[in-house]
């Protein structure tokens, strides 16, 4: 376990990255995304921040708070339904028109639902898209800006180029290999398993081909967020009761933000191509400094998992990323 004091001490050193860090928070207008954005703005020098979400009214209040927290920060909101890849692409174009580098991409958009497969007009299940496909589309689109951030680090200054996806780094499970998008084998359990495992595998694959960028798949623990907002009264009541029951195990939003910014900025989660030294964390493949990391709610790395080891050995890792690119091509043409 990494103590909260250690986390905060590390976060206090973010200023050593220098001014004008650029961060994008997809799902940044509520819950974990919002709390992580708040922590980022708190510790950085003259940051440029993009909050991506659905509620303009909520974003306006957050932006007001963030500007008060750090008057030198530039905070912008981009409205979009990021369950649709078309809107992901539009959002990315808006960001790319203003920024040639991105230091940190935080992906936390998601929903808690009891529905079965709920297809968008693009043919993807909404939950699966939010938890995996749209996140990977943001990552894929913004790879040039992430690469520029890594290459543009000033001499003698620490560089930062990182992707943080908040889902469940502990929960990697077997995939339905002949139906990765779950057209015919959809269930909430399968959806969770596929989103989690495909995230871990895709990040490993990208770390191997983009050694200047580091990738972190994080488990947030039990955090009482606004994921319940799309459910009915009875479900909300039941979930509220569960949060109350497990309150001794829950993590507050402020601590959650601190821990996720630690995962997003600590030098120990170094890119594959760096020489991070003895303090570099062990990657998701069990190799120190591999560039792809699984991080638990206590901010410590999660040990190598057998299901990932098997998929790494038999070529499934590459197949999952190819499948993802094929989905993008089928829906968006590229």
């Amino acid at each position: 376990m990494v103590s909260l004091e250690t986390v905060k001490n590390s976060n206090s050193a973010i200023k050593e990255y220098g001014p004008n860090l650029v961060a994008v928070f997809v799902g940044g207008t509520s819950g974990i995304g919002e709390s992580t954005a708040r922590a980022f703005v708190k510790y950085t020098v003259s940051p440029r921040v993009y909050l991506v979400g659905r509620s303009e009214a909520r974003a306006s209040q957050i932006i007001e708070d963030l500007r008060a927290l750090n008057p030198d920060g530039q905070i912008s909101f981009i409205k979009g339904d990021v369950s649709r890849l078309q809107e992901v692409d539009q959002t990315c174009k808006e960001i790319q028109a203003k920024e040639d580098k991105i230091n940190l991409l935080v992906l936390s958009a998601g929903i808690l639902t009891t529905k079965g497969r709920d297809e968008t007009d693009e043919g993807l299940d909404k939950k699966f898209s939010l938890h995996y496909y749209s996140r990977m589309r943001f990552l894929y689109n913004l790879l040039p800006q992430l690469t520029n951030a890594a290459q543009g680090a000033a001499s003698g200054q620490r560089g930062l180029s990182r992707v943080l996806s908040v889902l469940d780094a502990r929960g990697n499970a077997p995939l339905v290999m002949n139906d990765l998008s779950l057209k015919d084998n959809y269930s909430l359990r399968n959806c969770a398993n596929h989103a989690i495992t495909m995230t871990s595998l895709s990040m490993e694959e990208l770390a191997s081909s983009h050694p200047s960028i580091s990738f972190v798949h994080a488990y947030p623990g039990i955090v009482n967020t606004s994921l319940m907002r799309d459910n009915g009264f009875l479900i909300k009541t039941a979930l509220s009761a569960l949060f109350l029951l497990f309150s001794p195990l829950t993590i507050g939003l402020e601590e959650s933000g601190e821990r996720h910014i630690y995962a997003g900025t600590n030098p120990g989660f170094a890119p594959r191509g760096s020489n991070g030294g003895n303090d570099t964390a062990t990657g998701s493949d069990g190799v120190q400094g591999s560039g792809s990391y699984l991080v638990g709610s206590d901010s410590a790395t999660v040990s190598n998992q057998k299901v990932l080891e098997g998929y790494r050995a038999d070529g499934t890792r590459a197949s999952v990323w190819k499948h993802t690119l094929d989905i993008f091509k089928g829906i968006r043409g590229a």
Side-chain angles (χ1 to χ4, degrees):
M1 176 178 180
V2 181
S3 71
L4 185 56
E5 180 182 7
T6 298
V7 165
K8 289 184 176 181
N9 287 339
S10 173
N11 292 345
S12 295
I14 293 174
K15 60 182 178 294
E16 295 178 16
Y17 284 113
N20 304 315
L21 291 181
V22 179
V24 176
F25 296 87
V26 180
T29 57
S30 64
I32 292 169
E34 177 189 341
S35 66
T36 306
R38 289 181 184 275
F40 181 80
V41 171
K42 172 184 174 181
Y43 289 109
T44 47
V45 180
S46 303
R48 296 199 299 278
V49 172
Y50 295 86
L51 305 176
V52 180
R54 294 185 301 172
S55 173
E56 191 165 358
R58 177 62 184 152
S60 295
Q61 180 59 58
I62 296 169
I63 290 172
E64 184 178 334
D65 293 346
L66 295 182
R67 287 174 177 164
L69 184 64
N70 189 338
D72 294 326
Q74 298 177 33
I75 320 296
S76 303
F77 170 65
I78 300 177
K79 184 176 182 178
D81 174 7
V82 297
S83 66
R84 301 181 68 252
L85 300 187
Q86 181 181 2
E87 294 207 31
V88 172
D89 289 352
Q90 181 58 42
T91 298
C92 290
K93 286 179 181 178
E94 290 187 44
I95 296 169
Q96 289 166 324
K98 299 176 182 178
E99 304 292 347
D100 62 0
K101 70 161 188 173
I102 293 172
N103 299 97
L104 178 63
L105 173 61
V106 178
L107 305 162
S108 63
I111 54 172
L112 184 62
T113 177
T114 58
K115 291 182 180 180
R117 186 175 174 90
D118 180 18
E119 285 197 2
T120 68
D121 59 354
E122 295 178 329
L124 296 175
D125 172 68
K126 184 176 183 179
K127 181 181 178 70
F128 197 3
S129 181
L130 281 169
H131 290 192
Y132 178 71
Y133 290 108
S134 80
R135 296 186 186 201
M136 292 302 110
R137 186 65 174 180
F138 270 105
L139 196 170
Y140 176 74
N141 285 347
L142 298 176
L143 278 172
Q145 285 68 42
L146 289 158
T147 301
N148 288 345
Q151 294 174 342
S155 177
Q157 187 181 64
R158 288 194 300 177
L160 176 65
S161 177
R162 189 166 302 170
V163 179
L164 170 65
S165 187
V166 181
L167 197 56
D168 188 352
R170 319 156 309 151
N172 295 287
L175 302 171
V176 181
M177 288 305 303
N178 63 351
D179 187 19
L180 287 176
S181 61
L182 298 175
K183 279 279 189 183
D184 303 313
N185 294 272
Y186 189 89
S187 68
L188 293 177
R189 183 181 182 86
N190 282 347
C191 180
N193 289 345
H194 276 225
I196 292 165
T197 304
M198 290 166 71
T199 293
S200 296
L201 293 171
S202 291
M203 285 190 157
E204 281 192 14
E205 186 70 11
L206 287 163
S208 69
S209 58
H210 294 81
S212 65
I213 305 168
S214 57
F215 302 83
V216 178
H217 178 187
Y219 169 63
I222 304 173
V223 184
N224 193 347
T225 72
S226 58
L227 278 175
M228 296 185 288
R229 64 182 179 269
D230 293 325
N231 291 285
F233 174 77
L234 291 177
I235 294 174
K236 287 181 181 179
T237 301
L239 289 171
S240 296
L242 282 174
F243 275 117
L244 182 63
L245 178 64
F246 289 103
S247 58
L249 302 176
T250 60
I251 297 172
L253 273 174
E254 184 176 352
E255 178 178 344
S256 177
E258 294 276 357
R259 289 192 176 278
H260 285 103
I261 278 302
Y262 173 86
T265 61
N266 185 271
F269 303 113
R272 188 184 192 92
S274 70
N275 183 13
N278 293 332
D279 292 334
T280 304
T282 300
S284 56
D285 58 359
V287 177
Q288 187 177 19
S290 69
S292 179
Y293 304 92
L294 304 177
V295 177
S297 60
D298 61 357
S299 302
T301 53
V302 177
S303 60
N304 190 20
Q305 299 179 10
K306 289 191 177 298
V307 65
L308 298 182
E309 183 179 343
Y311 285 149
R312 211 176 286 124
D314 67 9
T316 295
R317 188 180 83 179
S319 296
V320 165
W321 184 242
K322 181 182 182 302
H323 157 82
T324 306
L325 295 179
D326 287 344
I327 290 290
F328 293 165
K329 185 175 182 179
I331 294 174
R332 299 297 298 147

